[in-house]
């Protein structure tokens, strides 16, 4: 069991972050929250960003979505760009859950490739899905098309699969065939198999 070997006020921000993470992994949620809340931005902006992201994740797991969004919103891009990207992605997901459709799009749109390629890919995939549910198919296609395989192979495969169906809806079969053909087995085996079935059906007609 994790026990601090010195008082909290004698520990560095990194040590308290590590302690908070250990408490969380051990299921000591209250202790984790209490420790993480002692980390301030003025003390160490980078560690503060990591602590707020973790706090948001903890609150999210507890179903305390207001506290989660408050914590993630405190993560600033200039303090830790990658952590900011994932915090914004989580914000977007939470806003979608609670029905704040304009705010989920804004949060996902804040994620840039230069912050984190993986976070950018999953944010763009989520953006595409949201635009599709709003019958904004051109915007959905633009979002899915922005994802590169090198960003995240799995997200790329899902995006190409979605692009294939979107183009099929628009009767753009050549574009649909190209999208499905872009999916490789190593990207996502099940989607690859589905894409091959779709290609076979399209080529029959």
């Amino acid at each position: 069991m994790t026990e601090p070997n010195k008082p909290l006020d004698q520990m560095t921000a990194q040590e308290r972050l590590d302690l908070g993470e250990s408490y969380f992994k051990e299921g000591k949620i209250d202790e984790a929250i209490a420790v993480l809340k002692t980390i301030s931005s003025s003390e160490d902006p980078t560690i503060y960003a990591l602590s707020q992201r973790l706090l948001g994740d903890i609150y999210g797991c507890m179903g305390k979505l207001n506290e989660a969004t408050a914590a993630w919103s405190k993560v600033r891009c200039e303090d830790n760009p990658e952590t900011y990207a994932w915090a914004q992605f989580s914000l977007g997901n939470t806003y979608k859950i609670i029905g704040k459709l304009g705010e989920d799009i804004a949060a996902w749109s804040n994620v840039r490739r230069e912050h984190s390629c993986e976070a950018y890919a999953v944010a763009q995939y989520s953006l595409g899905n949201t635009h599709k549910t709003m019958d904004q198919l051109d915007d959905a296609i633009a979002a899915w098309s922005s994802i590169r395989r090198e960003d995240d192979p799995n997200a790329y495969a899902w995006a190409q699969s979605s692009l294939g169906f979107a183009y099929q809806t628009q009767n753009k079969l050549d574009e649909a065939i190209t999208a499905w053909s872009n999916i490789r087995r190593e990207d996502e085996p099940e989607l690859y198999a589905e894409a091959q079935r779709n290609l076979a059906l399209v080529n029959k007609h």
Side-chain angles (χ1 to χ4, degrees):
M1 302 293 284
T2 299
E3 291 299 334
N5 55 14
K6 54 186 172 181
L8 287 180
D9 59 7
Q10 294 178 20
M11 297 173 72
T12 65
Q14 181 66 61
E15 288 173 332
R16 277 174 281 144
L17 176 64
D18 293 341
L19 180 61
E21 289 177 338
S22 295
Y23 279 146
F24 179 49
K25 289 175 183 175
E26 292 174 7
K28 294 182 174 181
I29 303 302
D30 291 339
E31 291 90 336
I33 291 172
V35 171
L36 293 170
K37 281 186 170 182
T38 68
I39 300 171
S40 67
S41 179
S42 58
E43 184 179 15
D44 187 320
T46 301
I47 299 301
Y48 176 74
L50 290 166
S51 71
Q52 290 300 310
R53 180 190 169 192
L54 181 54
L55 268 174
D57 292 346
I58 293 172
Y59 284 131
C61 290
M62 297 170 68
K64 295 184 175 182
L65 300 187
N66 288 334
E67 290 89 339
T69 56
W72 289 321
S73 296
K74 291 177 182 175
V75 180
R76 300 188 305 177
C77 184
E78 58 266 32
D79 293 338
N80 192 323
E82 183 177 1
T83 301
Y84 170 80
W86 285 110
Q88 289 295 310
F89 175 67
S90 297
L91 269 174
N93 287 346
T94 304
Y95 286 142
K96 183 176 182 180
I97 289 169
I98 61 181
K100 294 186 176 180
L101 287 182
E103 292 180 52
D104 61 352
I105 290 173
W108 289 324
S109 298
N110 285 333
V111 182
R112 299 281 184 264
R113 183 176 274 116
E114 59 265 27
H115 301 153
S116 165
C117 291
E118 186 181 352
Y120 174 78
V122 292
Q124 288 296 311
Y125 180 69
S126 297
L127 266 175
N129 288 345
T130 298
H131 283 307
K132 179 177 178 288
T133 61
M134 297 169 70
D135 293 324
Q136 298 169 347
L137 200 53
D138 288 342
D139 289 330
I141 288 171
W144 292 327
S145 298
S146 71
I147 302 170
R148 303 171 185 165
R149 177 177 278 110
E150 58 265 30
D151 294 331
D152 182 295
N154 185 268
Y156 174 80
W158 280 100
Q160 292 299 311
S161 176
S162 297
L163 279 170
F165 287 114
Y167 285 133
Q168 187 182 40
T169 299
Q170 295 180 331
N171 291 317
K172 297 179 178 179
L173 292 186
D174 287 344
E175 288 91 336
I177 288 169
T178 298
W180 286 325
S181 299
N182 284 335
I183 302 172
R184 300 175 185 168
R185 182 179 280 110
E186 60 266 28
D187 295 332
E188 220 294 337
E190 290 185 14
L191 282 182
Y192 171 79
E194 180 186 85
Q196 292 301 306
R197 288 194 297 272
N198 294 335
L199 287 167
L201 287 171
V202 169
N203 288 328
K204 278 185 178 180
H205 299 290

